Amino acid sequence: MTHFAREYGNALYELAREENMEETILEQLGLVKDCLEAQRDYVRLLCARNLEIDERIRLLDEAFGGSLHPYLLNFMKLLTGRGAMDYFFECAEVYRTRFNEDHGIARATAVSAAPLTPEQRQALVQKLEEISGKRIELDTRVDAALIGGMQVDLEGRRYDNSIRTRLERMRRTLIESE
C-alpha cells in the first residue's frame, strides 16, 4: 500500500466516521470500485493530463453526480484533480481495512478444489468466527489443483488442509527417509 493511498484512504474514513457515514461510504466505495474495475479506460481518462482538470471533473459529475454521497464524489474529484485517480482502488482498500478494524470484522479467503455449497460456506464462516472472535467476510475461489480439501487465509495465517499439500508432505517425508 502506498503512502498516498494510506493518507487519503484514512482521511476519507475519518471524515465518514465523524459524520457517522462509514457504512454508507463503504457500500458506495464498493459499487464505484466494481464499476471502475470494469471500465479501466475510464480511470485512465480521469488521469489523463492532456485533458483539463475541469473536463475530468465534469466527467465525474456526469457519471456519478446525484448517485453518490457528496463526500465520496468530492473525494473522487480530489483524486482526479491531483491526477491520482488510479490510486482510488488502494484508497478504497485502506478505507475497508479501517472499517473492518473498527467494526470487528476479519476478511478470510478460502480456496477449495470444488465450489463450496451454501451449507459448507456457512459452516466455515462459523468456524472462522470461533477461531478469530470476529465477524467474517469470506471470499471463496476454486482451484482444482488442490485436488481436494481447502486452504484458508485468515489474518495473515494460512490453514492448509488440501490434498495437494498433504501429498507434498508425504513426498518430502519419503525423500528424507531414503
Side-chain angles (χ1 to χ4, degrees), residues 7-141:
E7 184 178 340
Y8 280 74
N10 281 323
L12 178 62
Y13 183 79
E14 289 300 322
L15 174 63
R17 189 171 69 176
E18 286 173 15
E19 298 294 327
N20 201 26
M21 300 290 302
E22 307 104 308
E23 204 160 325
T24 299
I25 300 297
L26 179 66
E27 289 171 14
Q28 291 185 0
L29 268 172
L31 295 172
V32 171
K33 184 176 170 246
D34 291 345
C35 178
L36 294 179
E37 282 176 342
Q39 301 294 325
R40 289 292 186 156
D41 287 340
Y42 184 72
V43 175
R44 281 190 283 282
L45 182 64
L46 293 174
C47 294
R49 300 219 182 250
N50 59 338
L51 275 180
E52 293 293 324
I53 291 173
D54 291 344
E55 180 64 18
R56 290 183 272 156
I57 299 296
R58 187 185 62 72
L59 291 171
L60 277 173
D61 280 328
E62 286 178 4
F64 298 104
S67 61
L68 292 180
H69 190 281
Y71 290 163
L72 182 53
L73 182 57
N74 287 336
F75 178 74
M76 293 168 63
K77 289 177 182 181
L78 177 67
L79 292 179
T80 298
R82 303 247 0 235
M85 191 60 186
D86 50 342
Y87 287 101
F88 176 85
F89 303 101
E90 287 183 57
C91 293
E93 190 59 35
V94 168
Y95 186 100
R96 174 172 281 292
T97 299
R98 286 286 309 279
F99 181 90
N100 287 354
E101 288 170 358
D102 283 359
H103 293 87
I105 300 169
R107 293 176 80 182
T109 302
V111 181
S112 57
L116 298 178
T117 66
E119 295 80 19
Q120 290 171 324
R121 182 182 171 85
Q122 183 57 36
L124 179 59
V125 166
Q126 287 176 340
K127 186 63 175 174
L128 294 174
E129 287 177 345
E130 287 174 23
I131 291 169
S132 68
K134 297 178 180 177
R135 196 172 95 220
I136 297 295
E137 284 184 356
L138 182 64
D139 295 321
T140 58
R141 291 192 339 258

